[in-house]
Amino acid sequence: MVKPKYNPTTKKWDIQIRYKDTFGQSRNTTKRGFDTSREAKEYATNFIVSLSKKPTALFRDVVIDYYEYNKVHKKDSTCDTQYNIINNHILTIFGTQKIGDINYDMILEWQSLISQKQLAPTYMYEINCVLESIFAFAQRAYHLANNPVKNIKKIGKAKNPHNDYWTVDDFTKFINALSDSEANKKAQIRRKIPNEPYIMAYHLLFYLGLRKGELLAIKKADINFEKKELTINHTYRRHNKMDYNTSPKTAASKRVLPIPSKLCNMLSIYMSALANLQPNDRIFYMLTKDSLRRAMISSAKIAGIKIIRLHDLRHSTASLLFANKVEANVAAKILGHSSIKTTLDIYTHFNNDKVNEAITKLDNLI
């Protein structure tokens, strides 16, 4: 620890504190704006003393404050996701532990338990990130000396390396299977909702590359049949049995999409069947993310095509754009990507698929 220094510009006292963390690494921090040299020295002394003490707050109490912090600084949908992750995968292990007692070995043991749950690699990675974020919050709010998660390799994978998608032929088979009443009856599939909303929804997802929340947020007023345009400016979420239309994922997500003529005609026929629909009413009020996911899986099985996620229909749109040589910057605007890098990453995957197909064809000639 060094002596306080007077700052003639601010007319205040600053002090730089050098210390070693619990891993023995040299650190330093600077605190500015003290009225007197004595106040600066007292702060530095208390800071050093606090490093030798472990915070005694229970992990579950830290999480409560973490929730409140997130409500102010993060989107509601993000808070909901983190809430579920914490309740299902974190609190059950660390809830009654003192935040300062949770160490490297305990984190490793927790990672092992999470790995055994057979969750998606990207979801395990997200769980790991949430726990690290809680400890980062504890460092700021509870003066926790170190983040025990930060120094351990994360489990799972940050991104799904496999961008699954359907071809137009796959999609046609899927829609035919969805519409085949005999095949659905044989498979003992009974839906309370007619097929028409599903068929329209899947066409918009496949050909326009909408996100699930964007699709479910579409209102009657968002469709301009005269200009053949669809305005995307909201995303839908349901929480505690309440419906919310909130701002989209990013600023780039707000966009106006031209609707292909055939798709526009389909949409017009679909809308005409919706009686008494007001301008601000959602056109897919009868559907949910879960019902779309279930119908997609069951119909894919009947069609005998690979099962993909709802989100992979966006990758399918990207594959169509790639196949038709649409430039990446244009595709990014259609898909609502905030960074062209995201689009280029997907395009690179499709290009690799083409290379593999070419090599297979050559192999067949040998």
Side-chain angles (χ1 to χ4, degrees):
M1 186 173 67
V2 296
K3 293 181 179 180
K5 289 185 178 181
Y6 183 73
N7 188 330
T9 303
T10 61
K11 297 182 181 180
K12 299 285 185 177
W13 290 85
D14 304 334
I15 190 165
Q16 186 180 56
I17 308 168
R18 294 191 179 93
Y19 64 96
K20 286 190 176 182
D21 61 25
T22 55
F23 294 94
Q25 299 294 314
S26 296
R27 307 286 184 190
N28 68 76
T29 183
T30 301
K31 183 69 175 178
R32 309 177 191 278
F34 295 99
D35 291 329
T36 66
S37 173
R38 181 177 178 179
E39 287 180 4
K41 287 180 181 178
E42 287 179 353
Y43 174 85
T45 300
N46 291 334
F47 179 85
I48 295 298
V49 170
S50 71
L51 293 178
S52 63
K53 295 180 178 179
K54 293 181 179 179
T56 57
L58 295 180
F59 182 88
R60 64 189 180 199
D61 294 331
V62 175
V63 164
I64 291 172
D65 288 341
Y66 178 75
Y67 282 150
E68 294 303 316
Y69 174 84
N70 280 353
K71 286 179 183 177
V72 177
H73 297 281
K74 295 185 178 180
K75 288 173 66 70
D76 290 342
S77 56
T78 302
C79 291
D80 290 347
T81 299
Q82 292 197 347
Y83 179 85
N84 290 330
I85 285 174
I86 291 168
N87 279 340
N88 294 328
H89 305 292
I90 298 177
L91 271 184
T92 51
I93 304 298
F94 299 120
T96 57
Q97 299 283 341
K98 293 179 180 178
I99 189 74
D101 289 341
I102 301 172
N103 56 34
Y104 182 95
D105 291 334
M106 294 167 71
I107 299 298
L108 285 177
E109 186 177 349
W110 169 79
Q111 284 186 332
S112 177
L113 291 172
I114 296 298
S115 299
Q116 292 170 22
K117 290 186 176 184
Q118 297 181 337
L119 302 169
T122 49
Y123 189 55
M124 286 195 291
Y125 186 90
E126 187 176 4
I127 293 170
N128 206 125
C129 288
V130 170
L131 183 61
E132 183 177 341
S133 178
I134 294 171
F135 279 99
F137 171 79
Q139 285 183 292
R140 298 190 301 271
Y142 287 82
H143 306 293
L144 183 68
N146 292 285
N147 186 334
V149 187
K150 191 175 182 179
N151 298 288
I152 301 175
K153 183 179 178 180
K154 291 182 176 65
I155 52 175
K157 293 181 180 179
K159 291 183 178 180
N160 183 358
H162 305 294
N163 289 321
D164 288 330
Y165 59 94
W166 281 342
T167 63
V168 173
D169 185 54
D170 290 330
F171 183 70
T172 301
K173 289 178 180 177
F174 163 74
I175 292 297
N176 289 339
L178 177 67
S179 308
D180 190 335
S181 57
E182 288 300 319
N184 280 270
K185 185 177 180 181
K186 187 176 180 181
Q188 296 184 332
I189 297 170
R190 297 179 180 86
R191 299 188 186 96
K192 297 179 180 179
I193 301 167
N195 288 332
E196 286 74 17
Y198 286 106
I199 293 171
M200 190 69 253
Y202 290 127
H203 272 80
L204 292 176
L205 290 170
F206 184 80
Y207 286 106
L208 296 184
L210 304 182
R211 298 178 177 92
K212 294 170 288 187
E214 292 171 349
L215 172 87
L216 295 174
I218 296 174
K219 297 176 292 186
K220 183 179 180 180
D222 294 331
I223 305 165
N224 187 325
F225 286 107
E226 187 176 338
K227 292 184 177 180
K228 295 181 180 179
E229 290 179 344
L230 173 63
T231 299
I232 302 297
N233 54 19
H234 288 93
T235 187
Y236 169 84
R237 57 185 285 270
R238 186 168 178 80
H239 179 63
N240 289 336
K241 298 182 180 180
M242 295 289 290
D243 296 332
Y244 298 94
N245 269 10
T246 59
S247 58
K249 185 177 181 181
T250 64
S253 299
K254 291 185 177 181
R255 57 203 190 277
V256 177
L257 295 173
I259 309 173
S261 295
K262 290 182 179 179
L263 197 59
C264 195
N265 290 336
M266 280 184 65
L267 192 54
S268 177
I269 294 170
Y270 169 74
M271 293 289 291
S272 65
L274 298 177
N276 303 318
L277 199 67
Q278 300 303 308
N280 286 324
D281 290 342
R282 294 188 303 112
I283 69 170
F284 294 115
Y285 62 87
M286 71 296 289
L287 299 179
T288 66
K289 292 179 183 179
D290 282 341
S291 65
L292 284 166
R293 178 183 56 81
R294 289 193 299 268
M296 188 170 172
I297 293 172
S298 60
S299 297
K301 287 180 179 178
I302 292 173
I305 58 176
K306 64 181 175 182
I307 296 173
I308 63 174
R309 303 170 303 164
L310 268 173
H311 185 78
D312 290 326
L313 291 176
R314 273 172 61 77
H315 297 155
S316 303
T317 311
S319 76
L320 295 178
L321 297 172
F322 176 80
N324 286 280
K325 299 181 180 180
V326 176
E327 294 180 3
N329 62 324
V330 177
K333 290 181 180 179
I334 293 171
L335 296 168
H337 288 156
S338 59
S339 170
I340 193 173
K341 183 180 181 301
T342 305
T343 316
L344 288 171
D345 286 345
I346 296 172
Y347 266 29
T348 299
H349 174 80
F350 296 140
N351 192 52
N352 290 339
D353 282 353
K354 292 294 182 184
V355 171
N356 291 332
E357 287 176 13
I359 295 299
T360 301
K361 288 178 181 179
L362 288 175
D363 190 41
N364 293 333
L365 295 174
I366 299 173

